[in-house]
């Protein structure tokens, strides 16, 4: 059974803290993604990575950075957490598109982050 | 830029009634299309997808969707709603070319009442 695992389901952090959200997939997928989910806004892409050590900004990268040192792991970093980063964060992975039609993304359970 | 529009942020149906959730996309080239479901405090789960071939696709839990190129639509239907269908549903497109970056609609929350 395919799996994307996020390290925490719930996190509470203080303003100004450095926050790490970890995501691991066991499907040998090239692509990994971090989305942010807010009511009425759907899922917005923060960053994605198409290979180890490769990253691209998504639609809302400000205030975030990422790290992908190994193929299976993709970390989202909030350098200095702020209250407007309180949200649900979803990690996903997928195959590279030219590897066939199995193009769907697989999602982790989500991390609900509250910044106080 | 490509976009996805889900008409209706909230839809309410009676148990046993038809479920219809609407999705339109903007693209001159037909993309790959997906419907995902999210139950409370969970991640997203794939319901169904359209890539090529038959335009009527069947998914899990009795859902199906029809790709209509002329209408740039991919509406999700289920003939008879069940209480367990209450969840949030997201339509997504995978644009042709580039990396596998899904573009999501804002979501539709489905309520099912007895």
């Amino acid at each position: 059974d395919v799996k994307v695992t996020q390290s925490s389901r719930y996190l509470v952090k203080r303003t100004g803290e450095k926050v790490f959200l970890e995501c691991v997939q066991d499907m040998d997928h090239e692509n990994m993604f971090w989305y942010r989910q807010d009511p009425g806004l759907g899922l917005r892409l923060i960053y994605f990575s198409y290979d180890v050590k490769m990253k691209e900004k998504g639609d809302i990268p400000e205030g975030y950075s990422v790290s992908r040192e190994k193929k299976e792991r993709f970390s989202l970093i909030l350098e200095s957490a702020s209250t407007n980063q309180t949200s649900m964060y979803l990690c996903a992975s997928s195959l590279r598109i030219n590897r066939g039609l199995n193009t769907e993304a697989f999602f982790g359970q989500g991390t609900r982050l509250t910044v106080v | 830029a490509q976009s996805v529009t889900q008409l209706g942020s909230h839809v309410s149906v009676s148990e046993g009634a038809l479920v219809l959730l609407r999705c339109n996309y903007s693209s001159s080239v037909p993309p790959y299309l997906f419907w995902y479901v999210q139950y409370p405090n969970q991640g997203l789960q794939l319901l169904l997808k359209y890539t090529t071939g038959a335009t009527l696709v069947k998914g899990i839990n009795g859902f199906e969707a029809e790709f209509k190129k002329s209408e740039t639509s991919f509406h999700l239907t289920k003939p008879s709603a069940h209480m367990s269908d209450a969840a949030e549903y997201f339509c997504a497109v995978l644009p042709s070319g580039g990396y596998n970056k899904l573009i999501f609609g804002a979501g539709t929350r489905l309520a099912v009442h007895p």
Side-chain angles (χ1 to χ4, degrees):
Chain A
D1 196 17
V2 297
K3 190 169 285 187
V4 178
T5 303
Q6 294 183 230
S7 54
S8 303
R9 293 294 304 276
Y10 300 94
L11 276 179
V12 180
K13 296 293 182 180
R14 294 191 181 278
T15 301
E17 275 193 78
K18 190 169 186 176
V19 181
F20 293 86
L21 303 183
E22 306 286 347
C23 176
V24 177
Q25 52 96 2
D26 64 359
M27 296 166 282
D28 198 36
H29 285 169
E30 293 88 356
N31 300 321
M32 294 189 76
F33 308 86
W34 277 106
Y35 288 90
R36 172 176 171 160
Q37 182 181 12
D38 299 289
L41 298 177
L43 276 72
R44 294 179 292 168
L45 183 64
I46 305 172
Y47 267 97
F48 75 100
S49 169
Y50 53 90
D51 204 345
V52 175
K53 296 190 185 295
M54 306 304 289
K55 60 186 179 184
E56 293 283 341
K57 293 180 180 179
D59 300 317
I60 52 164
E62 296 79 18
Y64 304 94
S65 62
V66 291
S67 172
R68 191 162 180 205
E69 297 297 317
K70 294 185 178 182
K71 190 175 186 179
E72 67 270 19
R73 186 180 296 270
F74 192 36
S75 302
L76 179 69
I77 303 157
L78 287 66
E79 295 290 342
S80 178
S82 64
T83 54
N84 63 13
Q85 293 178 308
T86 292
S87 187
M88 170 73 100
Y89 291 88
L90 291 165
C91 175
S93 71
S94 70
L95 287 171
R96 187 173 296 154
I97 195 167
N98 60 5
R99 285 180 60 183
L101 298 179
N102 294 323
T103 53
E104 65 265 32
F106 295 86
F107 283 81
Q109 294 288 79
T111 296
R112 188 166 294 281
L113 172 67
T114 302
V115 182
V116 298
Chain B
Q2 299 201 30
S3 64
V4 179
T5 302
Q6 291 184 238
L7 191 61
S9 58
H10 291 81
V11 171
S12 182
V13 301
S14 298
E15 192 173 20
L18 171 72
V19 175
L20 170 60
L21 304 182
R22 300 178 187 274
C23 174
N24 289 88
Y25 64 91
S26 65
S27 175
S28 57
V29 177
Y32 294 167
L33 297 155
F34 306 82
W35 276 99
Y36 283 86
V37 61
Q38 184 181 36
Y39 298 103
N41 296 315
Q42 299 290 321
L44 274 67
Q45 177 184 1
L46 182 69
L47 267 181
L48 49 79
K49 66 179 179 181
Y50 169 80
T51 52
T52 61
T55 56
L56 181 64
V57 292
K58 296 185 184 299
I60 61 172
N61 302 337
F63 284 93
E64 61 183 36
E66 186 171 12
F67 167 58
K68 291 188 176 181
K69 182 179 176 180
S70 61
E71 299 178 6
T72 60
S73 69
F74 191 56
H75 301 330
L76 181 71
T77 60
K78 183 174 180 177
S80 177
H82 191 273
M83 297 295 287
S84 61
D85 295 327
E88 189 154 22
Y89 292 80
F90 291 94
C91 181
V93 301
L94 184 63
S96 57
Y99 301 107
N100 284 23
K101 291 192 292 178
L102 284 170
I103 300 171
F104 285 88
T108 297
R109 187 168 297 278
L110 176 67
V112 182
H113 52 85

